[in-house]
Amino acid sequence: LTKRATITDVASKAGVSIKTVSRVINREPNVRDSVRERVLAAADELGYAPSLSARALAGTRSYVLALMFDNPSLAYVAEIQLGALQRCRELGYHLIVDPIDSAALDRESLEAALAAARPDGIILTPPLCDNALALEAIEAAGLVHVRIAPSGDLARGPYVRTDDRAAAKEMTLKLIDMGHETVAFVRGHRAHGAAAARFDGYADALKARGLKLDKTLVAQGDFGFDSGAACGEALLKRPKPPTAIFAANDDMARGVLAAAERLGLAVPEDLSVAGFDDTPAARTVWPPLTTVRQPIRDLAAAAVEIAVALASQSGDVEPSRTLDTEIVMRASTAPRSSRG
Amino acid sequence: LTKRATITDVASKAGVSIKTVSRVINREPNVRDSVRERVLAAADELGYAPSLSARALAGTRSYVLALMFDNPSLAYVAEIQLGALQRCRELGYHLIVDPIDSAALDRESLEAALAAARPDGIILTPPLCDNALALEAIEAAGLVHVRIAPSGDLARGPYVRTDDRAAAKEMTLKLIDMGHETVAFVRGHRAHGAAAARFDGYADALKARGLKLDKTLVAQGDFGFDSGAACGEALLKRPKPPTAIFAANDDMARGVLAAAERLGLAVPEDLSVAGFDDTPAARTVWPPLTTVRQPIRDLAAAAVEIAVALASQSGDVEPSRTLDTEIVMRASTAPRSSRG
DNA sequence: ATGAAAGCGCTAACAC
DNA sequence: GTGTTAGCGCTTTCAT
């Protein structure tokens, strides 16, 4: 491994002082264009890349962002990571990932985790982003933090999210407009903010079409596959079963699919099933699930952008953003048939 | 954010020089026990944690390990990460995760990725750990690397793995000993080394029970769900269909399950299905899959241990390890019934 | 608009 | 067994 070029190498090659190189690298003002170009050329030729360690040691920033999560969904976390990582690279930042055991969460271990890598900012995924203890510790440490898809308390600080309520409304409307008069809903975990928003969207849609909310058509799940199966079975065993079931996430929708199968119902001929999230499993299950796709990577990338901007205090960024979702129609839904 | 304690603070508090503190922190010899304890106590009281940046800048180690992967299975990568992260923390190391687009892999981008964060060592997951280009670049950079579950070329360098061949043999034996005379096999992707090992294990088992390998009972898949479904259908449509199908991974086993369902076969009454990997989906599919569990976290943790030991040249470590697998019996397999 | 000098917190090399 | 000194590559502060 050949030794890496340093700021001194670049400076002498460009015939300037290291401070000038520093200015150029950090996009600071007060450098003549001609000098700037010369420095840039020298840096490029030498393959110069500033040393993170030296920068962190000398300066106030660490050029590190931490992604903290306790999300049980591996697929979700993996997508978040990918999106965050990519934008971090583009911005010259490093990302450390920090799985948190929220069951054993205490102030001390949190502070230890924060102290370990002195990040410039923290990205929080749900449901950790709604954890009071975590938020308090981070705020007390005075660290920049950006929440991804927080449940509520939007005023508390920067966040990025999608409009789950609007998306759930749109999906429900699609089902109704396919001719399904009875669209049942399987709610998500009570503690999870997205669960409430998605249910509200379902209710919005019924209202918009002049249908009234039938509480016996709403089952309480917990976002897990098993709860979806149980809720699905309960709903389908009713005297007048629904012809469409909209579950608040894909895992529960897969559970509904399993229940339908056990009861000998054909999907989508006898029953339409829709999910939410567009997890990888939504595509591989049979029939493939109609669902709502969230731009998970984009959410993470946006969170990184905001965190970096906030940490470097570079001008004013919009500290929060709401991104669009997309409905993905697949084979698990169909217009209501005469059989249904 | 209150300023962090430095080595100087600890030194003055303990009444020694900073070098002595350094010795204690780095577990170097030549410190009296009484002094060591005094230093440790002072460090503890001050909440001292050495600055990564300063260490990296001054020393030869960076205290950073890189986890490079291009594995399409999010669940696998997530497990690997968890295991690696945990051990890294215990060893005072940091982990940076580095998703690689192996389709667009070239020497230049690889070197850039390696240069970006000057890690002390690299952990490679399959199939990246078998990528000649990647290995060459890393070796050329003179970096310590540990491969997780490499296909072959075990002499090339340190690795950790499980004995897939032995595990597949064991699973096949279980199926045979349940009374299944015709156990079919769905092979994994040709380029993936584990695929070959698992098939070999299947063949070993047949041989061990004096059965001869019937090539028409072996289907070629690619580790994907769809290939499993296709292979399953082909196998089950044979004049004399197998009563058990062992797929080389869970995704394909789920495909086989889907095929059986479409053909109206009950699992496990008409057909036993087994997979490999114990992915989360193996538990949530219906019926839950009998499969082989790999100690993925342990593999990652072992890889980290080896990498750190190698990077710090601390004594001699066994540079490679083979960990045990475990067979998980679930409802997708049953003794051969009269119906089968 | 540019530069000189002083550290940041630690390890390395050598004293004692 | 313990301490001293000189950097590592950068940012910061203050001159010019």
Side-chain angles (χ1 to χ4, degrees):
Chain A
L1 191 53
T2 145
K3 226 167 58 195
R4 193 155 72 149
T6 73
I7 196 171
T8 317
D9 300 333
V10 178
S12 62
K13 175 142 198 160
V16 295
S17 77
I18 62 165
K19 177 63 226 186
T20 299
V21 175
S22 175
R23 286 203 177 88
V24 172
I25 297 299
N26 293 298
R27 295 187 179 77
E28 282 170 32
N30 297 339
V31 181
R32 259 205 323 256
D33 280 356
S34 62
V35 174
R36 181 181 304 276
E37 272 165 40
R38 206 148 32 98
V39 170
L40 251 20
D44 190 53
E45 238 173 288
L46 262 30
Y48 171 71
S51 150
L52 255 187
S53 305
R55 266 152 83 119
L57 187 55
T60 52
R61 292 199 276 165
S62 67
Y63 297 88
V64 167
L65 249 37
L67 175 68
M68 294 176 71
F69 58 89
D70 67 340
N71 195 303
S73 163
L74 296 175
Y76 185 85
V77 168
E79 282 288 317
I80 290 275
Q81 269 187 32
L82 249 37
L85 231 25
Q86 194 180 328
R87 186 62 99 253
C88 273
R89 276 191 194 164
E90 291 165 10
L91 297 175
Y93 262 69
H94 279 224
L95 186 76
I96 71 163
V97 296
D98 217 341
I100 299 291
D101 180 2
S102 52
L105 197 68
D106 58 64
R107 190 63 177 254
E108 204 173 327
S109 63
L110 258 171
E111 274 161 3
L114 295 179
R118 334 222 108 246
D120 288 342
I122 313 239
I123 314 282
L124 294 164
T125 70
L128 189 63
C129 61
D130 299 315
N131 187 299
L133 203 57
L135 282 173
E136 273 163 29
I138 292 166
E139 281 166 3
L143 281 169
V144 165
H145 67 276
V146 180
R147 292 172 294 159
I148 294 179
S151 298
D153 218 350
L154 297 187
R156 184 152 193 173
Y159 64 85
V160 296
R161 58 158 202 155
T162 52
D163 193 341
D164 283 26
R165 182 168 182 164
K169 178 180 178 185
E170 193 183 339
M171 176 65 87
T172 309
L173 287 179
K174 277 235 158 53
L175 293 170
I176 296 173
D177 295 346
M178 277 175 163
H180 297 285
E181 279 150 27
T182 54
V183 178
F185 189 80
V186 182
R187 301 187 66 150
H189 196 285
R190 286 194 156 86
H192 206 311
R198 291 171 193 183
F199 173 72
D200 290 343
Y202 164 76
D204 290 347
L206 295 182
K207 195 169 183 185
R209 286 292 180 268
L211 267 38
K212 94 168 198 290
L213 183 69
D214 179 351
K215 281 187 179 164
T216 64
L217 284 175
V218 177
Q220 179 68 50
D222 65 5
F223 277 142
F225 173 88
D226 293 335
S227 78
C231 291
E233 187 159 339
L235 289 167
L236 293 170
K237 278 186 171 165
R238 283 163 39 91
K240 189 179 176 303
T243 62
I245 299 183
F246 179 18
N249 79 345
D250 287 346
D251 286 343
M252 295 196 299
R254 284 172 45 232
V256 171
L257 243 32
E261 194 179 298
R262 247 175 293 173
L263 296 174
L265 290 170
V267 175
E269 292 80 1
D270 302 323
L271 176 74
S272 282
V273 178
F276 206 113
D277 288 342
D278 195 29
T279 55
R283 242 162 311 154
T284 61
V285 79
W286 190 262
L289 271 177
T290 288
T291 186
V292 177
R293 176 182 302 151
Q294 305 205 63
I296 303 183
R297 288 193 200 191
D298 295 342
L299 280 172
V304 166
E305 269 170 32
I306 293 172
V308 169
L310 255 28
S312 60
Q313 301 154 339
S314 70
D316 19 28
V317 267
E318 193 61 57
S320 297
R321 256 178 258 176
T322 299
L323 306 185
D324 288 331
T325 55
E326 178 192 355
I327 295 214
V328 185
M329 299 302 292
R330 297 210 184 88
S332 70
T333 51
R336 188 190 174 187
S337 71
S338 47
R339 285 168 70 184
Chain B
L1 190 55
T2 143
K3 226 167 60 193
R4 190 155 75 151
T6 73
I7 196 171
T8 318
D9 301 332
V10 178
S12 61
K13 175 143 199 158
V16 296
S17 77
I18 61 166
K19 178 64 227 183
T20 300
V21 177
S22 174
R23 285 201 179 89
V24 172
I25 298 299
N26 292 298
R27 296 188 179 78
E28 281 170 33
N30 298 338
V31 181
R32 259 203 322 255
D33 280 355
S34 61
V35 175
R36 183 181 302 277
E37 272 165 41
R38 202 146 36 94
V39 170
L40 251 19
D44 191 52
E45 239 174 288
L46 262 31
Y48 171 72
S51 150
L52 251 191
S53 306
R55 282 171 101 157
L57 188 55
T60 53
R61 291 200 276 166
S62 67
Y63 297 88
V64 167
L65 249 38
L67 175 67
M68 293 176 72
F69 58 89
D70 67 339
N71 195 304
S73 163
L74 296 175
Y76 185 84
V77 168
E79 282 289 316
I80 290 276
Q81 269 188 32
L82 248 39
L85 231 25
Q86 194 181 328
R87 186 63 98 253
C88 273
R89 275 191 194 164
E90 290 165 10
L91 298 174
Y93 262 70
H94 281 226
L95 187 75
I96 71 162
V97 296
D98 216 341
I100 299 291
D101 180 2
S102 52
L105 198 68
D106 58 63
R107 191 61 177 255
E108 205 173 326
S109 63
L110 258 170
E111 275 161 3
L114 295 179
R118 335 218 112 250
D120 287 343
I122 313 238
I123 314 282
L124 294 164
T125 70
L128 189 63
C129 60
D130 299 315
N131 186 300
L133 203 57
L135 282 173
E136 273 164 29
I138 292 166
E139 281 166 2
L143 281 169
V144 165
H145 67 276
V146 180
R147 291 172 294 160
I148 294 179
S151 298
D153 217 350
L154 296 187
R156 184 152 194 174
Y159 63 85
V160 296
R161 57 159 203 156
T162 52
D163 193 341
D164 283 26
R165 182 170 182 164
K169 178 181 180 185
E170 194 183 339
M171 175 66 87
T172 308
L173 287 178
K174 277 236 158 52
L175 292 170
I176 295 173
D177 295 345
M178 279 175 161
H180 296 284
E181 280 151 25
T182 53
V183 178
F185 190 81
V186 182
R187 303 187 65 150
H189 196 285
R190 287 193 155 86
H192 206 312
R198 292 171 192 183
F199 173 74
D200 290 344
Y202 164 76
D204 289 348
L206 295 183
K207 196 168 182 184
R209 286 292 179 269
L211 267 37
K212 96 168 197 291
L213 181 71
D214 180 350
K215 280 187 182 165
T216 64
L217 283 175
V218 176
Q220 178 68 50
D222 64 5
F223 277 142
F225 174 88
D226 293 336
S227 78
C231 291
E233 187 159 340
L235 289 167
L236 294 170
K237 279 187 171 165
R238 284 162 39 91
K240 189 180 174 305
T243 63
I245 299 183
F246 179 16
N249 78 345
D250 287 347
D251 285 343
M252 294 196 299
R254 284 171 47 231
V256 171
L257 242 32
E261 193 180 298
R262 246 175 292 173
L263 296 174
L265 291 169
V267 175
E269 293 81 1
D270 301 323
L271 175 73
S272 282
V273 178
F276 205 113
D277 287 342
D278 195 29
T279 55
R283 243 162 310 154
T284 61
V285 79
W286 192 262
L289 270 177
T290 288
T291 186
V292 177
R293 176 181 301 151
Q294 305 206 62
I296 302 184
R297 287 192 200 193
D298 295 342
L299 281 172
V304 166
E305 268 170 34
I306 293 171
V308 168
L310 255 29
S312 60
Q313 302 155 338
S314 69
D316 20 28
V317 267
E318 193 61 58
S320 296
R321 256 179 258 174
T322 298
L323 306 185
D324 288 332
T325 55
E326 179 192 356
I327 294 214
V328 184
M329 300 301 292
R330 297 211 184 89
S332 70
T333 50
R336 187 188 173 185
S337 71
S338 48
R339 285 168 71 186

